[in-house]
Amino acid sequence: MPRGHYSLYDPHDHTPLGEEHFHCATGPSGWRYVSQIVNPSGDHTGSVDLTLDELGRPLRLELHASAWQVRGAALEGVTWVRTDPTGEHATEGNVPAHAFTGASPAFLIATARLLRPALGAGAVRTRLVAFTPPVLAPRTLDQSWALLKSTPHATDNAPLIADEYQVNDLETGEQHTVHIAGDVVLAAPGIELESLESPPSTFP
């Protein structure tokens, strides 16, 4: 079970945003990721709990940020309920999209797992609903993912495969690169892996 923490920062000016302390695991029914997020002062600011099925679809999502909460799942597209900080109002949403995304590294693993682009086969398009802190307001976006290279790295056990993806925002044309090994993000815009207590899990 991989356990460690990521440092989070603004990808444009590199302002530190805090840390995300996580653990995740694969299982017979899919994959689960759980994390707690703190700001640079060490104060708790949010959490992520994401469960995928064996095909990479979101079975269950629970996000917390600044007293806002989102619960969601893949249901007739994706469906969610967003609750305000007072707890008095809840709004429901449904969009014909494939999955969720957001600031957490968990969503990069989830999208790569869902799309599984083949090396040299070109980009795969997807529609996602993004929830980003601090208020977790939903936004629908279209991306394409292409697998650029897979590089094996020798370890004490089996070789560790590091995958490099090119991710395109199809609305803005912005491109960036994401590096993933198993179920751990090695590097991505605004995300750096700072510690890892055990090797990444490999998906069956």
Side-chain angles (χ1 to χ4, degrees), residues 31 52-58 74 78 97-101 106-117 124-128 145 165 180 203:
W31 180 71
L52 307 180
D53 68 11
E54 66 275 11
L55 298 178
R57 298 171 299 194
V78 293
H98 301 106
F100 300 109
T101 191
F107 295 112
L108 299 176
I109 300 292
T111 305
R113 179 65 180 159
L114 177 70
L115 300 180
R116 303 182 206 185
V124 180
R125 292 182 55 141
T126 186
R127 174 160 290 181
L128 305 169
W145 282 58
Y165 297 92
I180 293 174
F203 290 103

Side-chain angles (χ1 to χ4, degrees), residues 80-147:
W80 67 89
V81 176
R82 176 172 172 264
T83 306
D84 66 302
T86 67
E88 296 178 0
H89 305 286
T91 56
E92 296 185 10
N94 173 266
V95 169
H98 301 106
F100 300 109
T101 191
S104 172
F107 295 112
L108 299 176
I109 300 292
T111 305
R113 179 65 180 159
L114 177 70
L115 300 180
R116 303 182 206 185
L119 188 62
V124 180
R125 292 182 55 141
T126 186
R127 174 160 290 181
L128 305 169
V129 175
F131 298 104
T132 51
V135 298
L136 303 179
R139 181 173 68 92
T140 303
L141 55 88
D142 294 305
Q143 289 183 343
S144 70
W145 282 58
L147 179 58

Side-chain angles (χ1 to χ4, degrees), residues 42-53:
D43 300 319
H44 183 265
T45 58
S47 63
V48 179
D49 189 341
L50 174 64
T51 301
L52 307 180
D53 68 11

Side-chain angles (χ1 to χ4, degrees), residues 2-195:
R3 181 184 301 268
H5 83 277
Y6 298 101
S7 62
L8 308 176
Y9 58 90
D10 187 302
H12 302 291
D13 62 13
H14 295 276
T15 300
L17 300 178
E19 296 180 344
E20 184 162 338
H21 296 259
F22 73 95
H23 62 271
C24 54
T26 57
S29 61
W31 180 71
R32 187 178 182 196
Y33 176 102
V34 177
S35 70
Q36 301 292 324
I37 303 162
V38 297
N39 63 19
S41 301
D43 300 319
H44 183 265
T45 58
S47 63
V48 179
D49 189 341
L50 174 64
T51 301
L52 307 180
D53 68 11
E54 66 275 11
L55 298 178
R57 298 171 299 194
L59 284 177
R60 177 179 176 272
L61 170 67
E62 185 169 329
L63 289 178
H64 294 265
S66 303
W68 292 88
Q69 175 183 288
V70 168
R71 294 176 184 264
L75 182 65
E76 297 178 354
V78 293
T79 299
W80 67 89
V81 176
R82 176 172 172 264
T83 306
D84 66 302
T86 67
E88 296 178 0
H89 305 286
T91 56
E92 296 185 10
N94 173 266
V95 169
H98 301 106
F100 300 109
T101 191
S104 172
F107 295 112
L108 299 176
I109 300 292
T111 305
R113 179 65 180 159
L114 177 70
L115 300 180
R116 303 182 206 185
L119 188 62
V124 180
R125 292 182 55 141
T126 186
R127 174 160 290 181
L128 305 169
V129 175
F131 298 104
T132 51
V135 298
L136 303 179
R139 181 173 68 92
T140 303
L141 55 88
D142 294 305
Q143 289 183 343
S144 70
W145 282 58
L147 179 58
L148 299 183
K149 64 177 73 170
S150 292
T151 306
H153 295 273
T155 69
D156 293 337
N157 301 310
L160 181 67
I161 306 298
D163 292 325
E164 179 182 337
Y165 297 92
Q166 180 176 289
V167 181
N168 292 347
D169 184 313
L170 298 180
E171 180 182 359
T172 65
E174 181 180 357
Q175 295 183 350
H176 62 269
T177 303
V178 174
H179 297 265
I180 293 174
D183 60 351
V184 172
V185 175
L186 303 178
I191 298 166
E192 289 291 341
L193 179 64
E194 297 290 351
S195 69

